[in-house]
Amino acid sequence: MTKTVWPVVLLVALAGCHQATPEEKAAAAFTVSPLKPGDGADLTGCITKIARAGTTDGSRILIEDSLQGGANGYIRINNQLTKITMTSGGSDSIHSVRSFVDAANKLSVVESYDIGEAKTGQTVRPLTGQLIVTWKGGTQTIAIGGARNCIDAP
């Protein structure tokens, strides 16, 4: 006769009984939508534009101003434009890891990417990495590509 470990059986049974709440279902099903023309037009300085990895149509899902402290950016969740502000992190010449939140603290975005070398005579530097987007308790990890461009550089 096999001995059953009751705490494990109870845990499995309870996990099977949980029904997701409407809010849990909505959070898990959120969409990081493409930005629209003009989103982030108020940003200046070194601009970072982030797309889903492999995107070739020019669409972007995040834009931010790459400041080391107090950076701002924009992302669309379920097609609603949301301003985000950097809360922690930083970058050097080859890597960036930074965290952002919205004003209501319902949305957090962590960007982690490597920064490539600019082509000769250009200021645009390619980047690759990931975004971790958490909204109302649901989290998505998105492989990204994009570019950083210091448009105000002399």
Side-chain angles (χ1 to χ4, degrees):
M1 182 165 140
T2 333
K3 197 172 193 182
T4 304
V5 181
W6 285 106
V8 172
V9 172
L10 182 60
L11 179 63
V12 170
L14 288 175
C17 292
H18 175 72
Q19 297 294 320
T21 66
E23 186 170 282
E24 289 172 329
K25 288 178 184 177
F30 73 90
T31 301
V32 178
S33 310
L35 294 171
K36 295 182 179 180
D39 289 351
D42 60 321
L43 302 176
T44 60
C46 293
I47 302 297
T48 299
K49 295 180 180 181
I50 294 175
R52 293 179 186 277
T55 298
T56 58
D57 64 2
S59 64
R60 302 287 182 251
I61 57 172
L62 179 104
I63 185 169
E64 49 102 339
D65 60 15
S66 302
L67 296 173
Q68 288 298 321
N72 291 300
Y74 293 94
I75 189 169
R76 284 187 174 271
I77 303 296
N78 296 333
N79 209 30
Q80 180 176 345
L81 185 64
T82 303
K83 183 175 185 175
I84 54 176
T85 302
M86 183 178 147
T87 57
S88 65
S91 64
D92 57 28
S93 63
I94 60 170
H95 191 71
S96 179
V97 178
R98 301 179 328 147
S99 298
F100 295 80
V101 297
D102 69 339
N105 281 324
K106 290 187 177 186
L107 170 67
S108 72
V109 178
V110 177
E111 59 179 28
S112 175
Y113 57 80
D114 294 320
I115 306 165
E117 290 297 321
K119 293 181 182 177
T120 304
Q122 295 187 1
T123 59
V124 177
R125 298 180 67 190
L127 57 90
T128 56
Q130 69 178 10
L131 281 184
I132 301 170
V133 182
T134 302
W135 184 68
K136 292 186 176 180
T139 299
Q140 295 180 18
T141 300
I142 303 168
I144 59 167
R148 175 182 271 188
N149 184 17
C150 292
I151 58 174
D152 288 345

